[in-house]
Amino acid sequence: MAEFDFDNSPEAGLKGSLRKDFFWGYATAAPQIEGAWNADGKGPSTWDILAHTPGRVIDASTADDATRSYDFFREDVKLMKSYGVNAYRFSLSWSRIIPLGGKDDPVNEAGIKFYSELIDELLAHDITPFVTLFHWDVPQALEDRYKSMLDAEKYVPDFVRYARVCFETFGGKVKHWITYNEPGVYALAGYAGGAHAPNRSSDREKYSEGDTSTEPWIVGHTQLLSHAQVYRMYKEEFAHTQHGTIGITLSGNWSAPYDATSPADIAAAQRALEFEIAWFADPVHGSGDYPASMRAQLGSRLPTFTDAEKQTVKGSSDFYGMNTYTAFFVRDKVPPGQPIPPEDHKGNLAWSDINSEGVSRGAESDTEWLRTSPWGFAKLLHWVWDRYRVPIYITENGTTAKGEHVPAPPAGDVLNDVHRIEFYRAYVGEVAKAVTEGIDIRSYFGWTLLDNWEWAKGYTDRFGVTWVDFESEEKKRYPKRSAAFNREFFEHLIAR
Ligand code: PNW
């Protein structure tokens, strides 16, 4: 039964605008949903260690159980089917597959079995798996052995071997691979700010180790080099028999000038996009090297590529994997001519929620940084398309909504998540419009299927289209209305 009547809506004209083989569904990440953190031979990840360290997670929770999707994956697949999706993006836990992580360490057959069954269950329901190899959970053993990504020489072969095991084991059935999820957020949150694993930062009041002025750039570089090697390995050794696609997913929000008439603010907004997005996208999809604005500010603290590395990294993604949530207004922080502190890792920016004319960047969510800013999303899609010209897979987009922290069972109003529906209506509408303007977009994954363990925010950020009762033994799931909305919206938008 159609509830939302798109044929008589502002979106009526967008009917059938998305390609017939458009992939849509929801995205998740292993540490946020699986639970079973030490079951069946799984080794600890850096996030398990973080969660078990007092003071690191704001509600003092752990992901030991999360939404228990390790136990209930068949129910989750059924739920997704009822939501009408044709694809599902999830990540593999490296330390479930190789508990100690290293190239010579043993493979855990129970971990292989779990993911094989999940993949089979998806395929049995005609849901196409999109598999992320790395969504932030480094095996703790590699952190202990050599500080993981800070030592590229040791880390790269370990990651390449992990990827090889995955291609050999799952590549017959998985045709859509993502190497890294948001290498930029991983590097900055874990090594600059320090709130994420492995909790490294120059902030000595909070963290005992780390160097914000150098480590994020090293960790970014290591991810690029290891990503590129895995890409080349897949192309050379697996693609001709497995016929899949492989790429990297980058995080990036739109940045607009605080004062649209100020040359300095316009330059600041461009620099913001380069620090956040082009940091990875230029090496992979563009020039093959870091943007000049980053080199200018960071100098030799930003690593360099050899010519051979440039050749390996350049063009090492079949598509542009895009995670995006919001938009910001920016201008310079330190005025021109004055020194920028070496700990600055965003490109010398000051942010504001309104621009110089008092226009808001968008409606508030339940998450400080996140506002509903579809206007910025539209601009971002054009900026990425104009600069890189590769097919875009939107791999994450979504929001929290105020008022969802209620006891179970949630009252009717909580499940009628109007704020989230309006977010999806606007953002997905922009996807369809961008396609009609000639941009090649091939997927959309909402973040996320279930309310889950939102990293250092614990269970305090509810991003799901499904409300989860974390108090209950079985982590009972309650569909929100946004799930029904998206189902009907994509039915309307995808060509038959
Ligand atoms: C993504 N930002 O992280 C991650 O891929 C998910 O695992 C996470 O749960 C989700 O977004 C929601 O936070 C981001 O500040 C974290 O712009 C922060 C930002 C963007 C993405």
Side-chain angles (χ1 to χ4, degrees):
M1 257 302 289
E3 188 189 341
F4 293 95
D5 195 14
F6 285 107
D7 286 333
N8 296 294
S9 75
E11 291 82 17
L14 295 172
K15 189 176 184 131
S17 53
L18 301 180
R19 47 195 289 153
K20 263 213 299 260
D21 59 353
F22 193 88
F23 293 105
W24 91 274
Y26 295 97
T28 64
Q32 297 182 270
I33 63 162
E34 284 182 1
W37 76 287
N38 61 359
D40 303 334
K42 176 176 169 294
S45 77
T46 50
W47 275 98
D48 294 319
I49 300 307
L50 178 151
H52 290 122
T53 306
R56 296 298 193 222
V57 179
I58 66 171
D59 59 2
S61 66
T62 69
D64 293 3
D65 299 325
T67 63
R68 294 190 61 195
S69 291
Y70 185 77
D71 301 316
F72 300 134
F73 72 91
R74 290 186 205 279
E75 286 80 354
D76 286 346
V77 172
K78 216 173 280 152
L79 186 65
M80 278 190 269
K81 193 69 199 169
S82 79
Y83 290 172
V85 309
N86 61 27
Y88 174 47
R89 172 175 177 244
F90 62 97
S91 83
L92 306 177
S93 158
W94 183 348
S95 64
R96 199 182 284 294
I97 292 174
I98 305 172
L100 295 173
K103 66 178 176 27
D104 301 317
D105 294 319
V107 170
N108 176 31
E109 288 310 323
I112 300 282
K113 178 166 170 276
F114 168 66
Y115 292 116
S116 300
E117 289 179 0
L118 169 58
I119 290 162
D120 285 343
E121 190 73 6
L122 289 165
L123 294 174
H125 287 79
D126 290 319
I127 298 174
T128 301
F130 277 61
V131 177
T132 310
L133 292 174
F134 181 84
H135 200 126
W136 302 357
D137 47 346
V138 170
Q140 180 63 30
L142 303 187
E143 194 58 28
D144 295 341
R145 276 181 200 162
Y146 55 80
K147 295 196 167 72
S148 67
M149 293 184 197
L150 289 175
D151 189 339
E153 222 174 291
K154 296 206 176 74
Y155 172 88
V156 175
D158 285 350
F159 184 71
V160 169
R161 189 281 190 129
Y162 161 55
R164 173 185 294 285
V165 169
C166 295
F167 298 150
E168 283 173 353
T169 318
F170 310 120
K173 292 172 178 174
V174 172
K175 305 299 165 193
H176 299 270
W177 293 100
I178 293 161
T179 54
Y180 282 94
N181 177 72
E182 301 188 347
V185 172
Y186 181 76
L188 297 185
Y191 294 82
H196 282 195
N199 288 137
R200 297 181 67 88
S201 168
S202 293
D203 181 355
R204 283 290 162 272
E205 276 174 24
K206 291 194 187 137
Y207 307 106
S208 58
E209 285 181 50
D211 182 347
T212 299
S213 73
T214 55
E215 291 185 0
W217 316 118
I218 296 169
V219 165
H221 202 71
T222 300
Q223 289 177 91
L224 278 169
L225 296 179
S226 52
H227 152 78
Q229 282 212 21
V230 165
Y231 178 87
R232 301 295 165 201
M233 173 175 77
Y234 185 80
K235 291 286 151 176
E236 281 156 28
E237 298 181 41
F238 296 95
H240 56 100
T241 51
Q242 300 188 349
H243 309 294
T245 59
I246 178 164
I248 189 166
T249 272
L250 305 179
S251 142
N253 299 301
W254 181 247
S255 284
Y258 173 72
D259 176 350
T261 66
S262 151
D265 292 9
I266 292 168
Q270 184 66 18
R271 207 170 58 242
L273 293 164
E274 292 179 354
F275 268 72
E276 188 178 351
I277 299 173
W279 174 14
F280 295 95
D282 276 11
V284 171
H285 298 291
S287 67
D289 205 348
Y290 294 119
S293 58
M294 293 185 75
R295 182 66 64 198
Q297 180 180 319
L298 303 170
S300 61
R301 288 185 284 118
L302 186 66
T304 50
F305 296 104
T306 64
D307 283 340
E309 285 169 347
K310 260 184 220 170
Q311 289 316 308
T312 310
V313 172
K314 194 176 151 125
S316 63
S317 187
D318 295 335
F319 52 85
Y320 187 103
M322 177 188 284
N323 288 2
T324 189
Y325 288 85
T326 195
F328 303 102
F329 295 117
V330 299
R331 55 190 142 160
D332 290 345
K333 183 157 84 189
V334 171
Q338 288 187 34
I340 299 165
E343 287 75 29
D344 181 280
H345 46 273
K346 299 277 198 176
N348 186 32
L349 304 174
W351 292 269
S352 69
D353 288 332
I354 53 166
N355 69 9
S356 62
E357 299 191 310
V359 176
S360 165
R361 66 190 178 95
E364 288 176 27
S365 66
D366 201 30
T367 301
E368 219 245 307
W369 54 267
L370 206 177
R371 301 256 190 139
T372 304
S373 317
W375 59 274
F377 181 43
K379 290 186 195 271
L380 176 71
L381 286 168
H382 280 277
W383 189 85
V384 166
W385 178 246
D386 291 345
R387 190 166 172 124
Y388 304 115
R389 289 279 152 172
V390 276
I392 297 171
Y393 283 68
I394 295 161
T395 42
E396 273 181 36
N397 179 235
T399 188
T400 54
K402 291 178 196 278
E404 294 190 349
H405 297 282
V406 295
D413 262 8
V414 170
L415 295 182
N416 181 17
D417 53 340
V418 174
H419 176 80
R420 187 173 290 101
I421 289 171
E422 290 312 313
F423 181 98
Y424 281 124
R425 182 191 289 279
Y427 278 71
V428 175
E430 291 301 342
V431 172
K433 274 182 232 160
V435 167
T436 64
E437 288 158 8
I439 302 183
D440 184 355
I441 305 176
R442 302 188 181 185
S443 79
Y444 181 93
F445 291 90
W447 185 269
T448 178
L449 178 64
L450 307 165
D451 291 343
N452 64 28
W453 194 68
E454 175 60 20
W455 310 107
K457 297 245 197 102
Y459 297 103
T460 68
D461 263 3
R462 290 177 176 269
F463 273 91
V465 293
T466 311
W467 194 89
V468 174
D469 177 10
F470 293 108
E471 302 298 319
S472 67
E473 189 60 31
E474 74 280 20
K475 312 294 173 191
K476 194 164 183 320
R477 283 104 158 105
Y478 298 80
K480 301 178 192 176
R481 196 154 161 260
S482 52
F485 174 85
N486 281 340
R487 178 190 175 122
E488 285 185 33
F489 202 8
F490 279 99
E491 258 168 37
H492 173 74
L493 293 175
I494 296 176
R496 282 167 221 259

